[in-house]
Amino acid sequence: MSAENPVTMTDEERDALLDNGGTGVLSLAAGDAPPHSVPVSYGYDTPTTTFYFRLAVGTEKSKGELSDRPATFVTYHETETGWQSVVASGRLEDIEREGIETETLAGLEHVEIPIIDIFERPLREVDFGFYRLVPDDLTGRTEP
C-alpha cells in the first residue's frame, strides 16, 4: 500500500475483500499497557457488517476479560493490482450475552470462520468462546 496516495475502497470492494471470512489481527485495549494483539480467524456477515471470532479463552490466557473491550481488527491481502486492507474498530461483544442471540444466529449463517491450529495442545483441549465486533468505524484502503 502506498503511504503517499492511499485510496479509500468502496463498500462493495471492502465486502469483496472480507468475503465471508479469513484471517487478520485483533488488538484489544489494555489500559496503559500496549494493546494485546493476536492473529485470529474471522467470519464476516456482509448484510450487517459484523465480524465474528472464535477465540481461545480460559484463566491461563493473557488476553484477560474479552467482553465489552475496545478492539481493532485489521486484515489485508495482496492482489494482482496491489495491497488492500480493512480496519474495523468498536467493542468486542460476547455473543452469548442476553439480547443478541437471535441477531447473532442470523449473522452466523452467512460466515465461515476458518479453523486454524496454532495452539500448543490439541484443539479439543482448548476452550473457545464466540465473540462479535459490530464496528463503530470500518474503513478499507487499496493501492491505486
Side-chain angles (χ1 to χ4, degrees):
M1 181 178 305
S2 172
E4 294 82 37
N5 191 14
V7 176
T8 302
M9 298 170 79
T10 66
D11 291 353
E12 293 78 18
E13 290 170 324
R14 179 200 66 215
D15 292 343
L17 173 69
L18 294 171
D19 195 23
N20 63 350
T23 60
V25 176
L26 180 66
S27 296
L28 303 169
D32 291 337
H36 180 84
S37 299
V38 291
V40 296
S41 55
Y42 72 92
Y44 177 69
D45 180 39
T46 301
T48 62
T49 62
T50 300
F51 294 85
Y52 293 92
F53 305 99
R54 179 177 173 253
L55 303 175
V57 296
T59 56
E60 76 282 353
K61 296 296 167 199
S62 59
K63 291 186 282 290
E65 179 61 37
L66 296 173
S67 191
D68 203 35
R69 290 263 299 274
T72 299
F73 175 71
V74 178
T75 188
Y76 55 92
H77 300 280
E78 184 176 23
T79 68
E80 292 177 5
T81 59
W83 286 95
Q84 297 179 327
S85 65
V86 172
V87 178
S89 300
R91 290 188 122 21
L92 204 58
E93 300 175 337
D94 184 337
I95 65 169
E96 295 179 11
R97 193 184 79 213
E98 187 176 331
I100 65 171
E101 298 94 343
T102 304
E103 181 182 328
T104 297
L105 287 175
L108 283 171
E109 290 179 7
H110 304 119
V111 305
E112 182 178 321
I113 302 174
I115 306 247
I116 299 172
D117 185 359
I118 58 169
F119 301 96
E120 296 173 349
R121 57 184 196 230
L123 284 178
R124 68 182 172 279
E125 296 177 9
V126 178
D127 293 327
F128 291 95
F130 286 89
Y131 295 84
R132 74 178 190 174
L133 176 65
V134 181
D136 296 326
D137 190 40
L138 182 59
T139 59
R141 299 271 179 176
T142 186
E143 279 186 308

